[in-house]
Amino acid sequence: QGSIRVSLKKSMCKRLLFFTPALVFAAFILSVPQSSFAQLRIATYNTTNGPRADSGTVFEAMGTEVVNGIAKPVDVLILQEQGNVATTTQAFVDLLNGIYGAGTYARGTVNGITSGGGRPGVIYNTNSVQLLQEVAFGTVDTSNQARQTLRYEFRPVGYGSEADFYVYDSHYKAGTSSSDQARRLVEANAIRSNSDALGEGTHAIYAGDFNIRSSSEAMWQALTSAGAGQAFDPAGKLLEEAPRPG
């Protein structure tokens, strides 16, 4: 697992990248014009379907790990390989609420289209963020995306619309063939088209299971190319330096 801290200021808004080698945490520090700060812990996690025997231990560790001097329960948990959000993702919500109290966590409700390997989902801490909107997009077939991307819009509790941020949750096509890489590029281009349309000055995170082995791949270059939705790797060469399972 890895840990990063993100400082995002209104005067220099960016789209940020973090992906799932196994589990990645981010302390997301959002500065708004009133000079107040929202500190959010955001994690992305490919759970390979529902909870395991040790999932409670993993979630408790998320809340106790100190990242840049901050330890707090996760605020937004970005998930991949969810069978169905009403069952698989709800099982994780129940587990978290068993740790932190009934009603603390809720989930998204949109099931994106999938060709296999589950679908994206999200869980959020109702005490710290509001889920404003969910959008599933992308064409799913044998030459396009393997699964639809989910775009979530959040607002930190107690803040106005200037603090809204988007999370793009993706589980890209696996594999190393030229066809696999081409399909990952299709999804990256779809994300960029969607994000570019939001315009400059938008807070956004591109997260999920990218299924790539090098930042030289075309999909990564598409996400980080110039434009309104240009992504920035806040940790610097996060892809090459992140540990891999096994």
Side-chain angles (χ1 to χ4, degrees), residues 175-207:
T176 58
S177 71
S178 58
S179 174
D180 296 329
Q181 293 182 45
R183 292 177 68 184
R184 286 194 288 270
L185 178 58
V186 166
E187 183 160 2
N189 284 336
I191 289 170
R192 277 303 304 269
S193 178
N194 186 282
S195 183
D196 285 352
L198 296 175
E200 296 282 357
T202 299
H203 306 299
I205 294 172
Y206 303 152

Side-chain angles (χ1 to χ4, degrees), residues 7-177:
S7 179
L8 183 63
K9 296 185 180 296
K10 188 70 173 179
S11 60
M12 43 189 302
C13 301
K14 295 179 178 179
R15 271 69 164 184
L16 303 168
L17 284 161
F18 58 99
F19 68 103
T20 305
L23 176 64
V24 171
F25 296 107
F28 186 74
I29 314 299
L30 180 64
S31 173
V32 293
Q34 300 95 312
S35 296
S36 56
F37 292 86
Q39 294 182 349
L40 300 177
R41 173 158 290 188
I42 300 174
T44 179
Y45 190 10
N46 185 329
T47 63
T48 317
N49 213 336
R52 304 187 305 260
D54 63 349
S55 292
T57 301
V58 172
F59 288 151
E60 289 178 337
M62 285 185 189
T64 58
E65 180 175 358
V66 177
V67 181
N68 293 304
I70 300 170
K72 68 193 304 288
V74 65
D75 297 293
V76 179
L77 181 57
I78 308 160
L79 301 171
Q80 299 84 48
E81 295 204 29
Q82 304 299 286
N84 184 298
V85 297
T87 53
T88 309
T89 310
Q90 183 61 44
F92 288 112
V93 171
D94 295 341
L95 188 57
L96 280 161
N97 284 337
I99 299 169
Y100 294 106
T104 301
Y105 286 91
R107 59 170 170 81
T109 60
V110 174
N111 278 308
I113 298 170
T114 178
S115 62
R119 51 175 53 84
V122 74
I123 295 173
Y124 60 98
N125 189 326
T126 61
N127 296 319
S128 56
V129 295
Q130 306 169 62
L131 177 57
L132 303 179
Q133 184 188 55
E134 304 172 71
V135 176
F137 66 91
T139 300
V140 175
D141 59 34
T142 55
S143 59
N144 288 287
Q145 295 181 207
R147 290 155 284 271
Q148 283 190 308
T149 300
L150 267 291
R151 189 192 76 188
Y152 302 102
E153 182 182 3
F154 289 99
R155 179 176 298 170
V157 170
Y159 289 76
S161 59
E162 72 280 356
D164 291 358
F165 65 97
Y166 294 86
V167 171
Y168 287 82
D169 185 3
S170 305
H171 185 183
Y172 288 81
K173 177 70 173 70
T176 58
S177 71

